[in-house]
Each structure stands twice: as C-alpha cells, then as structure tokens.
C-alpha cells in the first residue's frame, strides 16, 4: 500500500460544519496532524478534531502570522513539517491526515505541506476532503446569496493588494476578500469609492461562539480587524431572476 497524505477540510470553526467523510478519514488515519502557529496555542483545526474524535494529534508548527515573502522562516517551517510527516511513514504509518480550517484546496497550508512531502516521499498519494469555506459560512450567517444567474464571483486574499481588490470590484458581481484585518480601513475606503459599501458584509471568528457578522457600512472606518476576517461584496439585485 502506498503511503497516503490526506488534506481534510474541517470548515471555518463550527464543528457542526464538518462533513461525515471528514470525520471518518480523521478517525481512520494512522496519524492526524494539525497546523499551529509558533506561539503554540491550540488552533481551530485541532479543537475540531478533538471534538469529533477525541484522539491525540501531532502539531506541525508553521509561520502562520508571517506575511508572504517574509524570508526563510516559512520555508524552514514547511521543511520541518514535511520531515515530520515523512518520519511518520518511516515509523510505519500508512495514512496521515492533515486537518485544516476551510478547504484544503483554497488558500490552505496543506498545499505547501503536500508539495514538501512529495519531495521527501515520492511514492506518496495525496488526497483531499473538501470543507466548508469561510466564504460560504459568511454567506449563510448573513443571509447573503453569493451568486445567481449570470453573475460572476471573485475570491481573493487582500495580501494581493488594493489595486487587485479595485480591479475585482470593477469586473465582478460578487467579490469575497480574505485576510484583510490590518488593511480593513483601506479596504473599506476602496469599497466605498466603488459605490458598493451598502451591500457589503463583514465577518470574523466565523463558526466560533464569538462570531462577528455585520454590515460593513457599520464598521469603524479607522479600526483594523483580525487576520482571519472576510469581506463579502455583492451587487444590488432587482426582481426575481433579474440576473438570469
């Protein structure tokens, strides 16, 4: 049997949003690993795994708070995490499951782990189990329809910059922006300039008891938000089926 590495999406934070398949894979895996920041506190993925399985997990430290292009710390963390997974196979494990918030194919640390493990264990088979994204959770919590009919949707990280956001607001009917906490005042200003602030929704701590979902127009325009926050901007819709 080839060694298997499975990225398991566990949703934005609410254990009730985990799929049946995700729970089964986490329970059956020989080893379950989770990402944590170098500060060492328990992360969302770890809490969700424990809620559904009660099993012990192996923490893999990543430089989660470092900005893109911040130097060797990220590479060193990816190398160490990949080596830890490879060592699990060397000790006899055949299946390793990596639990990640959201979906493993959407802005996930799993991408970098899988690439690293492939380099160390060429015969590894990489699989993924989809998870509910923050975008979907925010739409549900706010009662917002993401897209309908002929509408287009753009999903982007605000680490791409404000020019990319402005371009998306011009080109797409619905725009979802992730990871914009520190940039939130400038982001709100850009959305306001586009004339679309009235239809924007802000969300943070999605799926957690302290979940914060509200109209973006009601935010303090000078206050930053947490890193894992999201902004959802839609166009005004008039009449049933008006966008068909």
């Amino acid at each position: 049997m080839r060694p298997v590495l499975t990225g398991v999406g566990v949703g934005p934070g609410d254990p009730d949003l985990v799929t049946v398949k995700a729970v089964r894979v986490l329970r059956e895996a020989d080893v379950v690993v989770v990402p944590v920041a170098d500060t060492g506190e328990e992360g969302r993925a770890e809490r969700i795994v424990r809620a559904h399985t009660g099993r012990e997990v192996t923490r893999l430290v990543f430089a989660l708070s470092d900005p893109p292009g911040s130097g060797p710390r990220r590479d060193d963390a990816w190398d160490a995490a990949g080596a830890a997974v490879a060592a699990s196979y060397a000790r006899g494990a055949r299946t390793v499951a990596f639990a990640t918030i959201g979906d493993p194919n959407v802005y996930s640390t799993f991408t970098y782990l899988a690439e690293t493990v492939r380099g160390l264990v060429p015969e590894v088979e990489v699989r993924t189990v989809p998870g509910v994204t923050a975008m979907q959770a925010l739409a549900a919590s706010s009662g917002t329809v993401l897209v309908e009919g002929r509408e287009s949707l753009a999903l982007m990280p605000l680490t791409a910059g404000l020019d990319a956001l402005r371009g998306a607001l011009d080109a797409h009917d619905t725009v979802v922006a992730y990871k914009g906490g520190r940039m939130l005042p400038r982001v709100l200003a850009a959305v306001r300039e586009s004339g679309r602030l009235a239809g924007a929704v802000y969300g943070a701590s999605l799926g957690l008891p302290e979940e914060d979902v509200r109209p973006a127009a009601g935010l303090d325009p000078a206050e930053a938000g947490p890193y894992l926050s999201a902004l959802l901007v839609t166009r005004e819709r008039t009449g049933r089926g008006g966008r068909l």
Side-chain angles (χ1 to χ4, degrees):
M1 177 182 174
R2 295 172 61 191
V4 175
L5 172 63
T6 305
V8 182
V10 295
D14 182 352
D16 286 345
L17 294 179
V18 179
T19 67
V20 172
K21 182 173 183 178
V23 173
R24 177 177 60 78
V25 171
L26 291 169
R27 287 176 175 169
E28 294 178 353
D30 294 329
V31 176
V32 174
V33 295
V34 296
V36 295
D38 53 11
T39 48
E41 70 269 15
E42 181 184 56
R44 297 188 197 184
E46 182 175 347
R47 288 195 295 270
I48 293 171
V49 171
R50 293 189 189 282
H52 281 286
T53 71
R55 65 180 297 171
E56 292 300 312
V57 301
T58 298
R59 292 180 171 184
L60 302 181
V61 177
F62 291 90
L64 298 175
S65 60
D66 285 17
S70 56
R73 272 173 41 92
R74 281 180 178 268
D75 288 335
D76 291 346
W78 295 339
D79 289 342
V85 172
S88 294
Y89 295 130
R91 290 192 295 267
R94 304 319 300 160
T95 56
V96 176
F98 177 88
T100 177
I101 60 172
D103 182 281
N105 293 307
V106 180
Y107 301 132
S108 173
T109 305
F110 178 71
T111 302
Y112 314 114
L113 176 66
E115 184 177 350
T116 305
V117 173
R118 280 192 180 106
L120 297 171
V121 187
E123 70 274 21
V124 71
E125 179 181 352
V126 176
R127 304 173 182 173
T128 57
V129 177
V132 175
T133 63
M135 171 179 66
Q136 294 165 292
L138 179 54
S141 291
S142 63
T144 304
V145 175
L146 280 170
V147 281
E148 63 176 44
R150 294 174 286 109
E151 293 177 343
S152 62
L153 182 149
L155 173 63
M156 59 176 296
L158 285 167
T159 50
L162 288 179
D163 286 342
L165 173 64
R166 292 187 183 100
L169 289 168
D170 287 340
H172 296 280
D173 299 291
T174 298
V175 177
V176 182
Y178 284 175
K179 305 178 182 180
R182 287 176 291 185
M183 298 173 60
L184 189 58
R186 287 178 289 162
V187 169
L188 293 175
V191 176
R192 185 180 295 107
E193 290 167 8
S194 74
R196 301 181 62 179
L197 187 61
V201 178
Y202 167 84
S205 300
L206 295 166
L208 302 179
E210 63 271 23
E211 179 177 272
D212 181 10
V213 174
R214 48 182 154 153
L219 294 171
D220 182 342
E223 185 175 341
Y227 178 69
L228 289 179
S229 58
L231 193 69
L232 169 57
V233 185
T234 57
R235 293 197 191 278
E236 183 180 359
R237 300 182 180 104
T238 57
R240 183 178 62 185
R243 303 293 292 178
L244 289 173

